[in-house]
Amino acid sequence: MDIKLYRQHFLSMGCPCEIGVFSADAKQAESAMAGAENEVHRLDKKYSHFREDSYITRLQITARQAGGVEVDTETASLLDYAATQFEISQGLFDITAGRLARLWHRRESLPSDTELSSALRLTGWAKLQWQSPRLSMPKGMQLELGGIVKEYAADRAALLLRRNGMHSAYVELGGDIHITGPRADGKPWNMGIRNPDQQRHQTGTAMAGIPVNCGGLATSGDYERASIIDGKRYGHIINPTTGWPVNSFQCVSVLAPSCLLAGSLSTLAMLMCHEDGLNMLDESGLTWLARGTNGVDHKG
Amino acid sequence: MTLKRCWTVLLLLTLIELSACAEVQPWERGRLAKPHMALDADPLLSSIDAHTYNSKEAASGGNGPAGGGCGCN
Amino acid sequence: MLNSATRLFWTLLLWACLHLQALAVQPGGPAPGFELPRLDNGETIRLSDFKGKVVYVDFWASWCGPCRQSLPLYEDLQKRLPVGQFQIIAINLDEDRKDAEAFLKRHPVSYLILSDPEGISASAWSVPAMPTSFLVDSSGKIANIYIGFEPSHIGTIEHDIKALLDSTAASHPD
Amino acid sequence: MKKLSRTASSLLVSSLSLPGFTELLAAESEANNFQYRYTLYDEEPLPQNVLAQGDPDRYRIKSHQFRFEQDLNERFTLTVEGIHESMSGSSPWYVFPDPDRGPLQVMSGATISETRNEIGLTLGTQNNGVTHAFRGGYSTENDYDAVSAAYTGEYEQQNKHTTLSWGVSYSDDRLSPTDAELFGRIPHAERNSISASFGLTRILNRNALIQSGVQITHQDGFLSDPYKEMWINGGVFFDKRPDQRTAFSWTTRFRQYFVGSNAALHADYRFYDDDWSVTAHTLDLAWHQPFGENFELAPSIRYHSQRAANFYQPAITDGQQPKYWSSDYRLATYGAMRYRLSGTWRAEIWSLALNADIYNSSESLALSGPLFDTPALVDFWRISLGWQISWQ
């Protein structure tokens, strides 16, 4: 009985996902991977903005009525986390920027000023009332939990793998990775990060490999789900105060104890100006990699 | 005044260090590791003690950096 | 009169030279061996009984934190590696056998536990810290020494053991 | 990995409330533990024969403490501590020098229940024998806010017998006394304190170890007590203390194990001295006696003796007009005995501790120093119950 690497691919959270475990017991590996995959589907079903029947869609409808709505404990802790993120980032990381995200989603032309201002009017954490467990939102406001739920799902899936004894495994949800422990031979995993140019020229080379023993690796970039307007690229990460897509970095990758923390810091760096982003990453005390719009790479 | 005194104490600490003491092997430290031999076995108890005595007596210090907060009267 | 700075300097220097101690047992050198009773049934076990096998000798005690973490991971290790060629021997240095027995009741392990309350073997192997493990190759020489323990070390330890097992198999394939 | 920045660590702490995240972040770590402690502190009322006026029922404090220690990974440990206290009762205001009955204590009215909350966050990291810990603390109550930061380091020589420890801490306190206009108290005041410590722990033999260390603290700013006043030649004036104080303390802790009885003797002595000419000796002796595998009883006594600050007096009637003055009984010359009985029950992963204290102070117990017949010296009893659970 020797140790083999078992893999599983599936679609969820609107992106290709993969789970890999080193195990000496095929049956145990299969059941652990199935448990982790189900957790990702559960969270996708619950928090998907594109499904009419998802919990988060129905929740927002009631939240817009008088008196608001009471949320469940998991959503409450996610909203608490979002509140901390909003405060720590001085308003840059704002999950109420759903209208702006929709505005810029798959566009052929730049939005008009009126479209922009009406979306901005419906954005702003301060305009929403959140006293756990009660949430109430103004009419027309749309939550955008993309920056939290996908990383949270990667962490949750990794937790389930570890609970089933998979101490040498990884979960990858479209660039958001959580690794439960070093490879079976004790060596770290070498996680390639998709290369922004490669996305443009469809070549498959990874930008850089970060060796990871355990923890979360998240990458925020302007290449996924971006719009090309008049030859210029507009990413999907929007500055909630200006309403415009950010362009201080092509992409930022952070390695942290959890994928959620890694994702928060990588997205926060994208939201800041180039200078502040690099300083924030440098002081964070974590390992990171950032590629400027001029193609110059920075590491810490 | 305090610097001179502090220096004499440092010298004394060094003398303790130099004092001949039996060579204690790493595996002979089981007794010293027993819970009731710990220097500070219960951090919450020593913190509430420090808080009670610091707010009732003029002297303080000796148990690590004291947090702020008066809570005294 | 020496000012305080120079006096401080000399005192610190004195401290420094008090703390040098060479490690007697070196990788590459012969393993000192031992002759100790098993904790469970008292049967005497010698290192020489395992000639031709790769042996992982671990010195531990129930009161040492990192040791508590290492035992369950060594249990996985022993299960994953072929018993015929590889044996873990954990020498317990608890002064009071009851402490070791109480610990092992909570964390049962299947590999060999020997008892050395006087620490005779620990002195012979000049154990520098708790825990310390010695990887002994099939010819009785020390291949590696691991001082202290953290869970992430288990990967490297397993890597070294496998390397030894492969070279042993290559040298005299039976 | 370097120290996590404030941004990273506050996001991390906030993520701990997400389902399963404490377990996820624990990775393979040694002991993480959670502790809770409830303490009830109750002061004896002021004796009628020394009461001039006001409510004799003195302070009663109920405190809830929690402490949560968690290894984030092999290198980082996070400790979150908090305390919630509710306080009520009256406190000494000033001393009225009654010509025939002697000094009588005027008490303030009973305060309705005030609360104080404190939170402390410590991030510790360790590599090859050197430990660093960075602590931030914030304490708030209705008339007092304090922010503190501290760094402590420790170096343990592997097979040798010595551990060096050092640390610096800073605290900035802001006072805004209640009913300031009503009583003419100072509306806002500020003080800060900075302290440095250095210590040495030494294994003496298989059964004994000793720790000895010094700490220097310098306080600056408004050091008086805004609620206390003093009778001076017929008038009542607000407490006025120097706006600086430098203090030195030298604490030595000794532990001795007795094989025969499996018991441990604890002996702690602290010498304290400051430039307000307060000198204090504090000795704490405890005998920890285990019974069987899980239970332990520990009687202990603590003797404290202090010499008064050079500007302390209960009251002034001889026409003198000093530069500084205070009638605060806590600055007087007195000695105090504390008797404590502790019972601890330890099981595999949890433990329970009960600690009962009685504290009496009086001028007769003082080793040395000027005596003043201070009416408000306090006696109190205190019951404290602690519970702890640790898990892998």
Side-chain angles (χ1 to χ4, degrees):
Chain A
M1 54 120 186
D2 50 4
I3 298 186
K4 288 219 316 286
L5 177 60
Y6 298 86
R7 289 178 203 265
Q8 202 156 307
H9 298 268
F10 57 97
L11 263 178
S12 184
M13 301 271 166
C15 59
C17 306
E18 183 181 336
I19 295 181
V21 300
F22 275 106
S23 173
D25 170 346
K27 215 162 33 53
Q28 199 192 357
E30 246 91 45
S31 81
M33 291 200 287
E37 182 182 339
N38 293 341
E39 177 68 359
V40 176
H41 288 310
R42 175 185 77 82
L43 290 169
D44 181 29
K45 196 164 168 307
K46 182 173 181 184
Y47 292 109
S48 159
H49 293 299
F50 307 105
R51 294 175 189 241
E52 291 315 314
D53 59 352
S54 76
Y55 171 79
I56 195 70
T57 311
R58 280 183 282 106
L59 182 85
Q60 291 181 76
I61 294 164
T62 347
R64 294 188 191 106
Q65 284 145 15
V69 69
E70 219 174 277
V71 304
D72 71 338
T73 43
E74 182 173 47
T75 310
S77 10
L78 284 171
L79 288 174
D80 287 340
Y81 184 79
T84 312
Q85 252 180 343
F86 176 79
E87 199 194 298
I88 292 276
S89 63
Q90 275 97 36
L92 284 175
F93 210 125
D94 190 332
I95 63 166
T96 66
R99 269 281 179 269
L100 284 171
R102 296 250 164 120
L103 185 65
W104 285 94
H105 184 59
R106 292 269 184 275
R107 288 192 69 85
E108 267 74 46
S109 63
L110 289 180
S112 68
D113 289 345
T114 44
E115 280 174 320
L116 257 181
S117 58
S118 75
L120 276 171
R121 233 188 309 71
L122 293 170
T123 301
W125 176 260
K127 297 171 187 157
L128 151 159
Q129 278 80 37
W130 167 240
Q131 276 87 25
S132 180
R134 187 148 286 282
L135 169 72
S136 64
M137 288 162 57
K139 291 254 171 313
M141 175 178 273
Q142 179 69 35
L143 291 185
E144 167 54 55
L145 286 172
I148 296 183
V149 168
K150 192 147 76 79
E151 289 87 345
Y152 170 63
D155 288 331
R156 284 286 306 174
L159 176 67
L160 292 182
L161 286 175
R162 218 155 55 98
R163 277 191 187 155
N164 293 323
M166 296 296 133
H167 292 290
S168 170
Y170 68 86
V171 177
E172 179 178 11
L173 310 181
D176 291 339
I177 299 162
H178 190 112
I179 288 163
T180 64
R183 297 172 63 93
D185 57 14
K187 295 217 166 31
W189 301 81
N190 203 321
M191 280 300 157
I193 299 160
R194 248 195 304 288
N195 175 335
D197 305 334
Q198 145 234 349
Q199 194 70 12
R200 293 187 189 121
H201 319 303
Q202 305 316 328
T203 54
T205 55
M207 176 169 99
I210 294 194
V212 182
N213 262 320
C214 78
L217 175 66
T219 304
S220 304
D222 77 353
Y223 44 85
E224 288 149 17
R225 292 178 267 153
S227 317
I228 313 282
I229 302 168
D230 314 334
K232 195 162 179 300
R233 158 179 304 284
Y234 294 94
H236 71 289
I237 300 179
I238 315 291
N239 180 319
T241 44
T242 65
W244 280 79
V246 294
N247 59 13
S248 27
F249 294 96
Q250 279 188 30
C251 74
V252 177
S253 297
V254 175
L255 175 62
S258 73
C259 193
L260 181 58
L261 179 59
S264 305
L265 292 173
S266 61
T267 307
L268 182 55
M270 294 284 290
L271 285 162
M272 290 163 132
C273 72
H274 189 75
E275 227 13 69
D276 298 348
L278 288 181
N279 291 337
M280 186 275 292
L281 288 171
D282 214 22
E283 285 152 16
S284 69
L286 297 167
T287 313
W288 55 274
L289 192 67
R291 164 162 294 183
T293 42
N294 51 19
V296 171
D297 284 354
H298 304 267
K299 260 156 70 71
Chain B
M1 170 279 298
T2 19
L3 204 60
K4 190 170 78 53
R5 172 166 294 121
C6 173
W7 162 252
T8 41
V9 162
L10 197 60
L11 197 60
L12 195 70
L13 295 188
T14 326
L15 293 180
I16 300 177
E17 156 78 15
L18 300 177
S19 58
C21 66
E23 182 68 24
V24 180
Q25 298 298 347
W27 59 88
E28 292 175 327
R29 297 188 183 171
R31 298 174 185 173
L32 301 172
K34 287 180 181 288
H36 61 296
M37 272 290 278
L39 282 167
D40 178 12
D42 192 331
L44 285 189
L45 180 61
S46 28
S47 111
I48 193 81
D49 281 352
H51 186 55
T52 302
Y53 300 131
N54 290 352
S55 55
K56 285 297 146 190
E57 294 164 351
S60 66
N63 33 45
C70 159
C72 51
N73 210 301
Chain C
M1 200 272 288
L2 291 177
N3 62 42
S4 52
T6 38
R7 271 187 289 181
L8 187 64
F9 168 73
W10 284 113
T11 325
L12 291 179
L13 191 68
L14 212 54
W15 265 351
C17 63
L18 269 170
H19 303 283
L20 298 178
Q21 190 206 17
L23 197 61
V25 176
Q26 298 295 354
F34 50 75
E35 184 176 336
L36 293 167
R38 287 174 60 140
L39 187 69
D40 45 12
N41 60 21
E43 176 204 346
T44 306
I45 302 288
R46 288 172 209 76
L47 179 61
S48 44
D49 304 347
F50 299 87
K51 209 87 180 136
K53 274 191 182 176
V54 171
V55 181
Y56 185 81
V57 180
D58 173 48
F59 289 92
W60 69 284
S62 63
W63 48 265
C64 129
C67 307
R68 280 197 290 272
Q69 276 189 293
S70 65
L71 260 60
L73 295 176
Y74 289 155
E75 178 65 9
D76 291 347
L77 194 61
Q78 179 70 74
K79 285 210 182 86
R80 287 209 297 269
L81 295 171
V83 175
Q85 302 152 19
F86 169 71
Q87 177 62 49
I88 296 183
I89 301 178
I91 299 179
N92 174 267
L93 299 169
D94 272 295
E95 208 183 359
D96 182 349
R97 291 168 54 94
K98 285 206 311 307
D99 296 341
E101 281 149 2
F103 175 80
L104 289 168
K105 220 170 352 57
R106 288 194 301 276
H107 308 284
V109 290
S110 58
Y111 51 78
L112 259 177
I113 305 276
L114 308 183
S115 170
D116 182 2
E118 311 304 322
I120 307 150
S121 58
S123 315
W125 291 61
S126 64
V127 166
M130 290 297 281
T132 301
S133 316
F134 298 81
L135 184 56
V136 182
D137 67 19
S138 50
S139 65
K141 280 217 208 46
I142 292 185
N144 235 316
I145 301 179
Y146 308 93
I147 299 174
F149 180 82
E150 277 168 14
S152 62
H153 293 176
I154 200 73
T156 354
I157 295 172
E158 185 172 1
H159 177 73
D160 299 344
I161 295 170
K162 278 199 178 139
L164 263 185
L165 289 177
D166 298 346
S167 65
T168 330
S171 62
H172 45 74
D174 38 28
Chain D
M1 266 199 297
K2 302 195 294 297
K3 171 177 106 51
L4 285 183
S5 64
R6 200 181 63 75
T7 312
S9 54
S10 15
L11 281 172
L12 189 100
V13 168
S14 143
S15 74
L16 291 180
S17 61
L18 286 161
F21 264 56
T22 35
E23 181 190 343
L24 176 78
L25 290 174
E28 286 93 6
S29 42
E30 202 188 335
N32 315 303
N33 61 60
F34 176 79
Q35 289 174 20
Y36 166 76
R37 180 167 280 273
Y38 172 77
T39 304
L40 178 60
Y41 162 95
D42 198 356
E43 290 177 355
E44 294 293 322
L46 196 83
Q48 285 303 334
N49 56 12
V50 285
L51 176 65
Q53 191 195 339
D55 181 348
D57 283 342
R58 294 179 70 161
Y59 243 52
R60 161 185 277 256
I61 304 176
K62 298 191 189 82
S63 314
H64 299 271
Q65 288 169 283
F66 78 87
R67 186 174 189 279
F68 171 69
E69 190 177 338
Q70 170 82 62
D71 286 343
L72 300 183
N73 47 39
E74 252 147 57
R75 292 279 313 290
F76 282 92
T77 306
L78 182 74
T79 306
V80 186
E81 292 157 297
I83 181 167
H84 169 77
E85 277 182 337
S86 55
M87 303 161 275
S88 61
S90 72
S91 53
W93 187 356
Y94 64 92
V95 173
F96 169 66
D98 184 295
D100 27 29
R101 289 173 58 197
L104 302 176
Q105 183 64 49
V106 177
M107 299 295 283
S108 71
T111 51
I112 25 120
S113 176
E114 286 161 9
T115 57
R116 178 179 86 90
N117 293 308
E118 180 172 354
I119 181 89
L121 201 66
T122 309
L123 197 81
T125 180
Q126 211 194 30
N127 53 34
N128 42 51
V130 186
T131 317
H132 303 286
F134 302 90
R135 184 184 193 282
Y138 173 65
S139 164
T140 176
E141 55 195 284
N142 56 7
D143 62 351
Y144 190 95
D145 286 315
V147 176
S148 64
Y151 158 71
T152 50
E154 203 178 70
Y155 168 62
E156 190 205 349
Q157 284 156 342
Q158 252 322 356
N159 43 24
K160 277 298 141 242
H161 305 66
T162 310
T163 305
L164 301 183
S165 50
W166 58 89
V168 281
S169 75
Y170 173 76
S171 146
D172 181 271
D173 311 352
R174 297 231 153 73
L175 293 86
S176 40
T178 44
D179 311 330
E181 310 81 21
L182 190 62
F183 292 95
R185 291 172 184 143
I186 181 169
H188 296 292
E190 205 183 313
R191 62 173 170 237
N192 60 62
S193 89
I194 183 158
S195 110
S197 62
F198 169 78
L200 178 89
T201 309
R202 180 109 177 95
I203 294 180
L204 298 174
N205 54 52
R206 300 180 67 162
N207 303 312
L209 59 96
I210 187 166
Q211 177 185 63
S212 193
V214 291
Q215 181 171 8
I216 296 181
T217 305
H218 176 70
Q219 289 182 302
D220 213 304
F222 181 81
L223 301 183
S224 308
D225 182 328
Y227 300 102
K228 297 231 178 315
E229 296 189 51
M230 182 156 160
W231 176 281
I232 302 176
N233 307 322
V236 180
F237 300 86
F238 278 109
D239 192 69
K240 184 168 186 297
R241 309 178 196 193
D243 55 12
Q244 291 213 336
R245 182 182 196 180
T246 305
F248 163 81
S249 72
W250 174 18
T251 307
T252 300
R253 292 194 180 88
F254 175 72
R255 300 290 181 268
Q256 173 72 46
Y257 177 75
F258 297 92
V259 188
S261 51
N262 182 25
L265 169 70
H266 290 211
D268 298 2
Y269 167 71
R270 178 185 67 194
F271 168 73
Y272 172 89
D273 184 46
D274 70 20
D275 59 2
W276 284 6
S277 86
V278 174
T279 308
H281 303 275
T282 310
L283 181 68
D284 195 325
L285 295 172
W287 178 269
H288 290 254
Q289 180 61 60
F291 294 95
E293 278 304 306
N294 312 86
F295 183 65
E296 176 202 305
L297 209 58
S300 79
I301 56 165
R302 173 182 184 271
Y303 169 66
H304 170 78
S305 163
Q306 67 178 46
R307 178 194 166 77
N310 47 24
F311 52 82
Y312 166 74
Q313 282 182 62
I316 297 175
T317 51
D318 58 7
Q320 244 192 38
Q321 185 50 48
K323 187 163 185 285
Y324 300 110
W325 59 84
S326 173
S327 69
D328 189 337
Y329 65 97
R330 291 170 299 183
L331 294 174
T333 302
Y334 68 84
M337 284 302 287
R338 183 224 55 207
Y339 306 95
R340 165 176 289 173
L341 187 61
S342 300
T344 311
W345 181 270
R346 286 195 190 87
E348 164 64 5
I349 57 166
W350 58 266
S351 71
L352 195 66
L354 182 66
N355 316 79
D357 295 6
I358 293 176
Y359 179 101
N360 312 103
S361 60
S362 76
E363 297 189 278
S364 56
L365 285 170
L367 283 177
S368 72
L371 299 180
F372 294 95
D373 184 4
T374 302
L377 287 180
V378 71
D379 297 343
F380 63 79
W381 58 266
R382 198 187 79 169
I383 294 281
S384 185
L385 183 68
W387 172 79
Q388 165 174 306
I389 181 165
S390 41
W391 70 91
Q392 198 57 349

